[in-house]
Coordinates of all heavy atoms in Angstrom, one line a residue:
P1 N -61.7 -100.6 -25.0 CA -60.3 -100.8 -24.4 C -60.4 -101.1 -22.9 O -59.6 -101.9 -22.3 CB -59.6 -99.5 -24.7 CG -60.3 -99.0 -25.9 CD -61.7 -99.4 -25.8
E2 N -61.4 -100.6 -22.2 CA -61.6 -100.8 -20.8 C -62.1 -102.2 -20.4 O -62.1 -102.6 -19.3 CB -62.5 -99.7 -20.1 CG -63.8 -99.6 -20.8 CD -63.8 -98.4 -21.8 OE1 -62.8 -98.2 -22.6 OE2 -64.8 -97.6 -21.8
D3 N -62.4 -103.0 -21.4 CA -62.7 -104.4 -21.2 C -61.5 -105.3 -21.1 O -61.6 -106.5 -20.8 CB -63.6 -104.9 -22.3 CG -65.0 -104.2 -22.3 OD1 -65.6 -104.0 -21.2 OD2 -65.5 -103.9 -23.4
T4 N -60.3 -104.7 -21.4 CA -59.1 -105.4 -21.3 C -58.9 -105.9 -19.9 O -58.9 -105.2 -18.9 CB -57.9 -104.5 -21.7 OG1 -58.0 -104.2 -23.1 CG2 -56.6 -105.2 -21.5
A5 N -58.7 -107.2 -19.8 CA -58.5 -107.9 -18.5 C -58.2 -109.4 -18.7 O -58.4 -109.9 -19.8 CB -59.8 -107.7 -17.7
V6 N -57.9 -110.0 -17.6 CA -57.9 -111.5 -17.5 C -59.3 -111.9 -17.1 O -59.8 -111.4 -16.1 CB -56.8 -112.0 -16.6 CG1 -56.9 -113.5 -16.5 CG2 -55.4 -111.6 -17.0
Y7 N -59.9 -112.7 -17.9 CA -61.3 -113.2 -17.6 C -61.2 -114.6 -17.0 O -60.6 -115.5 -17.5 CB -62.1 -113.2 -18.9 CG -62.5 -111.8 -19.3 CD1 -61.6 -110.9 -19.8 CD2 -63.8 -111.4 -19.2 CE1 -62.0 -109.6 -20.2 CE2 -64.2 -110.1 -19.5 CZ -63.3 -109.2 -20.0 OH -63.7 -108.0 -20.4
Y8 N -61.9 -114.7 -15.8 CA -62.0 -115.9 -15.1 C -63.4 -116.5 -15.0 O -64.3 -115.8 -14.8 CB -61.5 -115.6 -13.6 CG -60.1 -115.2 -13.5 CD1 -59.8 -113.8 -13.5 CD2 -59.1 -116.1 -13.3 CE1 -58.5 -113.4 -13.3 CE2 -57.7 -115.7 -13.2 CZ -57.4 -114.3 -13.2 OH -56.2 -113.9 -13.0
C9 N -63.4 -117.8 -15.2 CA -64.6 -118.5 -15.0 C -64.7 -119.0 -13.5 O -63.7 -119.4 -12.9 CB -64.6 -119.7 -15.9 SG -66.0 -120.9 -15.8
A10 N -65.9 -119.0 -13.0 CA -66.1 -119.5 -11.6 C -67.3 -120.4 -11.5 O -68.3 -120.2 -12.2 CB -66.2 -118.3 -10.7
A11 N -67.3 -121.2 -10.5 CA -68.4 -122.2 -10.3 C -68.8 -122.2 -8.8 O -67.9 -122.1 -7.9 CB -68.1 -123.6 -10.8
R12 N -70.1 -122.4 -8.5 CA -70.5 -122.5 -7.2 C -71.5 -123.7 -7.1 O -72.5 -123.8 -7.9 CB -71.3 -121.3 -6.7 CG -71.9 -121.5 -5.3 CD -72.9 -120.3 -5.0 NE -73.7 -120.6 -3.8 CZ -73.5 -120.1 -2.6 NH1 -72.5 -119.2 -2.5 NH2 -74.3 -120.4 -1.6
A13 N -71.2 -124.7 -6.3 CA -72.0 -125.8 -6.1 C -73.3 -125.4 -5.4 O -73.2 -124.6 -4.4 CB -71.4 -126.9 -5.3
T14 N -74.5 -125.7 -5.9 CA -75.7 -125.3 -5.3 C -76.8 -126.3 -5.6 O -76.9 -126.9 -6.7 CB -76.1 -123.9 -5.8 OG1 -77.4 -123.5 -5.3 CG2 -76.2 -123.8 -7.3
Y15 N -77.8 -126.4 -4.7 CA -78.9 -127.3 -5.0 C -80.0 -126.5 -5.7 O -80.9 -127.1 -6.3 CB -79.5 -127.8 -3.6 CG -78.6 -128.8 -2.9 CD1 -78.0 -128.5 -1.8 CD2 -78.4 -130.1 -3.5 CE1 -77.2 -129.4 -1.1 CE2 -77.6 -131.0 -2.8 CZ -77.0 -130.6 -1.7 OH -76.2 -131.5 -1.0
S16 N -79.9 -125.2 -5.7 CA -80.9 -124.3 -6.3 C -80.7 -124.2 -7.8 O -79.6 -123.9 -8.2 CB -80.9 -122.9 -5.7 OG -81.7 -122.1 -6.4
S17 N -81.7 -124.4 -8.6 CA -81.6 -124.3 -10.0 C -81.9 -122.9 -10.5 O -81.8 -122.5 -11.6 CB -82.5 -125.3 -10.7 OG -83.9 -125.0 -10.4
S18 N -82.4 -122.0 -9.5 CA -82.8 -120.7 -9.9 C -82.1 -119.6 -9.1 O -82.6 -118.5 -8.9 CB -84.3 -120.6 -9.6 OG -84.6 -120.8 -8.3
S19 N -80.8 -119.9 -8.8 CA -80.0 -118.8 -8.1 C -78.8 -118.6 -8.9 O -78.1 -119.5 -9.3 CB -79.7 -119.3 -6.7 OG -80.8 -119.5 -5.9
A20 N -78.5 -117.3 -9.1 CA -77.2 -116.9 -9.7 C -76.5 -115.9 -8.7 O -77.2 -115.4 -7.8 CB -77.5 -116.1 -11.0
Y21 N -75.2 -115.8 -8.8 CA -74.4 -115.2 -7.8 C -73.5 -114.1 -8.4 O -73.1 -114.2 -9.6 CB -73.6 -116.2 -7.1 CG -74.5 -117.3 -6.5 CD1 -74.8 -118.4 -7.2 CD2 -75.1 -117.1 -5.2 CE1 -75.6 -119.4 -6.7 CE2 -75.9 -118.1 -4.7 CZ -76.2 -119.2 -5.5 OH -77.0 -120.2 -5.0
T22 N -73.2 -113.1 -7.6 CA -72.5 -111.9 -8.2 C -71.2 -111.5 -7.4 O -70.6 -110.5 -7.9 CB -73.5 -110.7 -8.2 OG1 -73.8 -110.4 -6.8 CG2 -74.7 -111.0 -9.0
T23 N -70.9 -112.2 -6.4 CA -69.7 -111.8 -5.6 C -68.6 -112.9 -5.6 O -68.9 -114.1 -5.7 CB -70.0 -111.4 -4.2 OG1 -70.4 -112.6 -3.5 CG2 -71.1 -110.4 -4.1
L24 N -67.4 -112.5 -5.5 CA -66.3 -113.4 -5.5 C -66.4 -114.5 -4.4 O -66.2 -115.7 -4.6 CB -64.9 -112.7 -5.3 CG -64.3 -112.1 -6.5 CD1 -64.9 -110.7 -6.9 CD2 -62.8 -111.8 -6.3
Q25 N -66.9 -114.0 -3.3 CA -66.9 -114.9 -2.1 C -68.0 -116.0 -2.3 O -67.9 -117.0 -1.6 CB -67.2 -114.1 -0.8 CG -66.2 -113.1 -0.5 CD -66.2 -111.8 -1.3 OE1 -67.1 -111.6 -2.1 NE2 -65.2 -111.0 -1.1
Q26 N -68.9 -115.8 -3.2 CA -70.0 -116.8 -3.4 C -69.5 -118.0 -4.2 O -70.2 -119.0 -4.3 CB -71.2 -116.1 -4.0 CG -71.9 -115.2 -3.0 CD -73.0 -114.5 -3.7 OE1 -72.9 -113.9 -4.8 NE2 -74.2 -114.5 -3.0
Y27 N -68.4 -117.9 -4.9 CA -67.9 -118.9 -5.8 C -66.7 -119.7 -5.1 O -65.8 -119.1 -4.5 CB -67.4 -118.3 -7.1 CG -68.6 -117.8 -7.9 CD1 -69.1 -116.5 -7.8 CD2 -69.2 -118.7 -8.8 CE1 -70.1 -116.1 -8.5 CE2 -70.3 -118.2 -9.6 CZ -70.7 -116.9 -9.5 OH -71.8 -116.5 -10.2
G28 N -66.7 -121.0 -5.3 CA -65.7 -121.8 -4.6 C -64.6 -122.4 -5.6 O -63.6 -122.9 -5.1
Y29 N -64.9 -122.3 -6.9 CA -64.0 -122.9 -7.8 C -63.7 -121.8 -8.9 O -64.6 -121.1 -9.4 CB -64.6 -124.1 -8.5 CG -65.0 -125.2 -7.5 CD1 -66.3 -125.3 -6.9 CD2 -64.0 -126.1 -7.0 CE1 -66.6 -126.2 -6.0 CE2 -64.3 -127.0 -6.0 CZ -65.6 -127.1 -5.6 OH -65.9 -128.0 -4.6
W30 N -62.4 -121.8 -9.3 CA -62.0 -120.8 -10.3 C -61.1 -121.5 -11.4 O -60.4 -122.4 -11.1 CB -61.2 -119.8 -9.6 CG -62.0 -118.9 -8.6 CD1 -62.3 -119.2 -7.3 CD2 -62.7 -117.7 -8.9 NE1 -63.1 -118.3 -6.8 CE2 -63.4 -117.3 -7.8 CE3 -62.8 -116.9 -10.1 CZ2 -64.1 -116.2 -7.7 CZ3 -63.6 -115.8 -10.0 CH2 -64.2 -115.4 -8.9
G31 N -61.2 -120.9 -12.6 CA -60.3 -121.3 -13.6 C -59.0 -120.5 -13.5 O -58.8 -119.6 -12.7
Q32 N -58.1 -120.7 -14.5 CA -56.8 -120.1 -14.5 C -56.8 -118.7 -15.2 O -55.9 -117.9 -15.1 CB -55.7 -121.0 -15.1 CG -55.7 -120.9 -16.6 CD -56.8 -121.5 -17.3 OE1 -57.6 -122.2 -16.7 NE2 -57.0 -121.3 -18.6
G33 N -57.9 -118.5 -15.9 CA -58.0 -117.2 -16.6 C -57.6 -117.2 -18.0 O -56.7 -118.0 -18.4
T34 N -58.2 -116.3 -18.8 CA -57.8 -116.1 -20.2 C -57.7 -114.6 -20.5 O -58.6 -113.8 -20.1 CB -58.7 -116.8 -21.2 OG1 -58.2 -116.7 -22.5 CG2 -60.1 -116.2 -21.1
Q35 N -56.6 -114.2 -21.2 CA -56.4 -112.8 -21.4 C -57.2 -112.3 -22.6 O -57.2 -112.9 -23.7 CB -54.9 -112.5 -21.7 CG -54.6 -111.1 -22.0 CD -54.7 -110.1 -20.8 OE1 -54.2 -110.5 -19.7 NE2 -55.3 -109.0 -21.0

């Protein structure tokens, strides 16, 4: 039940193929969300 939320997809343009990101500020593009 605690997983209940609006889930958002995010994208970050990057030249690196081996970097993943964990904070909101690191992403520049967002979807509208799905409940």
